[in-house]
Amino acid sequence: MKYYSTNKQVPLSSLKDAVLKGLADDNGLYMPEQIPQLSKEFFATIQTKTLQEISLEVATALFGEDVDASSLRSIVYDTLSFDIPLVKVTDDIYSLELFHGPTLAFKDVGARFLSRMMQHFTRDEPEQSGARRSQKREANVLVATSGDTGSAVANGFLGVDGIMVTVLYPKGLVSKIQESQFTTLGKNVRALEVDGTFDDCQRLVKQAFLDKELNRRLTLTSANSINLARFIPQAFYYFWGYAQMPKDSEVVASVPSGNFGNLMAGLLAKRMGLPIKHFVAANNANDVFLKYLQTASFSPRPSIATIANAMDVGNPSNFARIMDLYNGDHAKVVADISGYRYGDAQIAEVMKRVFTEVKYMLDPHGACAYEGLREQLQSDKPAKGFFIETAHPAKFKETVDEILGADIAIPEKLQAFMKGQKQTIPMSACFEDFKTYLLG
Ligand SMILES: *Cc1c(COP(=O)(O)O)cnc(C)c1O
């Protein structure tokens, strides 16, 4: 399989190059040249299969030409070494709980898969027998985070030989718990506390990839959802969620969205044949995608800080992939996706209501997706749906406690991070400073 850039200004790329580069040289995002179709038999028996079996079949359809079967199997099984239960919340709403991984957020899936793919492709270098082994350069993974990406990526790569991870995060804009998950690790993970917003962090990373001098001197790669090996594996759990839904009901999937990598993976699954009837793109106050659905024009703007902070994105990078998938046809996009937007007060109201009425504890991100799904199902009757619960509520303990008047327990896994010593490097939002640091 070859991969093209959404900007179409560079030649096709191999999977290996696309994974190791992250962003194409023309600043576009990689997309698979063909979208494989899964067979009727696959869907006929999907309900009898495990998460890992389903995922391996999907992964084989996409990556089977480029990764040998036994490596791909271990990448998939190793990535998905935790449960992803589908929990019934109301008669027609289910929660696909993607927060049972090491950092308690859905990004564990993409980050773990990506780190294992990168390791596979860097190990893969042919060694010339006899000749002196060429010195392998350390790969530098740069990752901008609004909270959860940093921890998932840092933990996905922690201790992986030959890879240095640099996490950029906006000072004061991520929760203490989130921060502890990538600032206390040490080893091959370093954290830069940027005096700016998430969009500034993302801009610094993008600029680094385009900087000729940096790229001559360092091997830079990205672990943001712009890397195709991070967004594509997220398609696996849409198949798994669908497989567990009651038989014979039409299914709507609702996705709390920021950079839109997660939703994009769902759209890819649908294109591979997964019969999801409709998607909900749930946003917080950062609603540029909803505005696009309403007006057909896309106008990025600076992000606004909200209580669902992992979705505080004003210029979602995967918008380019969605446009590419739909050839920019607005009518087709709105036929598949509906948008909803919730301000902080509404998010809090939803969390309280669902906790009181059905005793289910939502985190602020999942709350947007729950409510978007509930609203959408009123016009999509009698469909049922699942929403993606992207993080454990304890990751946003301060917010959740305040809204629910509770004192929720912090899971063991999170407590372990919080005991570590915070080590960060202060950084301005100016590219020259960042560049000097990387070269230093
Ligand atoms: C990253 C994140 C999101 C948004 O996912 P995208 O793929 O960027 O749209 C939603 N919820 C949580 C908890 C996240 O960490």
Side-chain angles (χ1 to χ4, degrees):
M1 175 92 79
K2 295 284 185 208
Y3 294 83
Y4 63 90
S5 159
T6 51
N7 285 347
K8 306 210 166 83
Q9 302 295 308
V10 287
L12 294 175
S13 171
S14 65
L15 176 63
K16 175 177 172 173
D17 288 345
V19 170
L20 295 182
K21 281 180 86 70
L23 192 68
D25 283 336
D26 61 358
N27 212 6
L29 279 68
Y30 287 111
M31 285 284 283
E33 203 184 11
Q34 284 115 29
I35 297 182
Q37 296 300 302
L38 292 167
S39 65
K40 284 215 174 64
E41 299 78 69
F42 171 74
F43 288 110
T45 55
I46 194 168
Q47 274 152 330
T48 65
K49 292 176 185 153
T50 66
L51 165 65
Q52 291 80 5
E53 288 166 348
I54 292 172
S55 302
L56 185 56
E57 285 202 48
V58 178
T60 303
L62 287 155
F63 302 124
E65 281 171 27
D66 305 298
V67 181
D68 66 276
S70 93
S71 301
L72 192 56
R73 187 177 196 282
S74 44
I75 292 170
V76 168
Y77 275 66
D78 198 30
T79 297
L80 299 170
S81 57
F82 47 87
D83 289 339
I84 304 178
L86 186 80
V87 173
K88 187 168 181 173
V89 179
T90 69
D91 281 346
D92 47 12
I93 296 183
Y94 293 73
S95 171
L96 188 62
E97 293 187 345
L98 271 144
F99 57 73
H100 298 274
T103 73
L104 306 186
F106 85 102
K107 292 192 176 72
D108 283 329
V109 174
R112 288 166 68 80
F113 189 87
L114 171 63
S115 67
R116 284 149 183 82
M117 282 286 255
M118 274 191 185
Q119 200 181 20
H120 171 78
F121 283 126
T122 45
R123 260 200 215 128
D124 210 30
E125 314 252 281
E127 273 183 40
Q128 292 154 313
S129 52
R132 198 151 45 92
R133 218 176 134 182
S134 66
Q135 211 200 333
K136 241 213 260 171
R137 284 213 300 195
E138 184 176 67
N140 275 275
V141 170
L142 302 182
V143 55
T145 185
S146 56
D148 281 343
T149 305
S151 51
V153 169
N155 285 278
F157 281 94
L158 185 64
V160 173
D161 233 19
I163 298 181
M164 170 60 86
V165 179
T166 306
V167 180
L168 291 84
Y169 73 105
K171 180 177 175 176
L173 295 178
V174 305
S175 79
K176 285 258 161 358
I177 299 179
Q178 286 178 321
E179 195 181 29
S180 73
Q181 293 176 87
F182 53 80
T183 58
T184 61
L185 301 173
K187 292 191 189 164
N188 59 331
V189 175
R190 52 190 189 181
L192 306 187
E193 192 170 21
V194 175
D195 196 4
T197 62
F198 169 66
D199 292 330
D200 289 319
C201 298
Q202 190 148 267
R203 173 179 50 79
L204 291 175
V205 169
K206 279 198 171 179
Q207 234 170 312
F209 289 123
L210 296 174
D211 189 276
K212 294 229 159 59
E213 187 189 2
L214 270 181
N215 285 278
R216 203 172 57 241
R217 295 179 52 188
L218 301 172
T219 306
L220 297 180
T221 186
S222 157
N224 275 85
S225 51
I226 54 179
N227 196 305
L228 75 103
R230 237 197 80 193
F231 105 82
I232 288 183
Q234 298 175 152
F236 302 162
Y237 50 71
Y238 286 88
F239 289 89
W240 169 242
Y242 172 84
Q244 293 175 93
M245 288 293 287
K247 266 195 198 147
D248 304 324
S249 58
E250 286 189 313
V251 174
V252 175
S254 177
V255 189
S257 295
N259 241 333
F260 283 80
N262 197 2
L263 179 66
M264 180 57 210
L267 299 172
L268 177 70
K270 181 172 165 77
R271 217 41 95 77
M272 292 176 81
L274 183 68
I276 299 270
K277 181 189 184 201
H278 199 72
F279 285 90
V280 169
N283 281 145
N284 59 22
N286 295 279
D287 60 357
V288 292
F289 188 75
L290 174 64
K291 291 268 153 60
Y292 162 76
L293 293 175
Q294 290 167 340
T295 65
S297 95
F298 180 63
S299 327
R301 31 160 226 262
S303 59
I304 304 163
T306 76
I307 57 172
N309 66 19
M311 292 156 40
D312 293 351
V313 182
N315 186 7
S317 15
N318 282 291
F319 185 76
R321 284 200 170 106
I322 297 178
M323 284 305 97
D324 189 82
L325 189 69
Y326 287 90
N327 286 318
D329 187 336
H330 179 261
K332 291 206 173 110
V333 177
V334 294
D336 279 358
I337 313 170
S338 296
Y340 293 88
R341 158 211 204 276
Y342 302 102
D344 282 358
Q346 286 169 298
I347 295 173
E349 186 276 319
V350 173
M351 289 168 64
K352 260 192 268 188
R353 173 174 15 107
V354 174
F355 188 62
T356 325
E357 288 178 6
V358 293
K359 298 275 171 293
Y360 190 80
M361 197 185 286
L362 292 162
D363 94 291
H365 308 79
C368 296
Y370 170 91
E371 191 64 359
L373 179 58
R374 194 187 63 76
E375 290 199 54
Q376 181 64 28
L377 288 178
Q378 290 174 349
S379 47
D380 267 347
K381 279 193 175 121
K384 294 180 188 291
F386 64 84
F387 67 97
I388 307 231
E389 181 42 294
T390 44
H392 191 292
K395 291 198 85 165
F396 306 92
K397 180 173 166 54
E398 292 150 46
T399 307
V400 175
D401 279 353
E402 195 182 309
I403 291 170
L404 301 182
D407 178 16
I408 58 175
I410 300 185
E412 199 67 39
K413 278 181 206 162
L414 284 185
Q415 283 180 27
F417 289 114
M418 294 175 77
K419 287 184 190 131
Q421 173 86 34
K422 173 174 159 180
Q423 299 165 288
T424 56
I425 297 135
M427 185 60 52
S428 79
C430 159
F431 179 68
E432 285 309 314
D433 291 343
F434 177 49
K435 178 172 170 179
T436 306
Y437 171 77
L438 286 176
L439 291 173

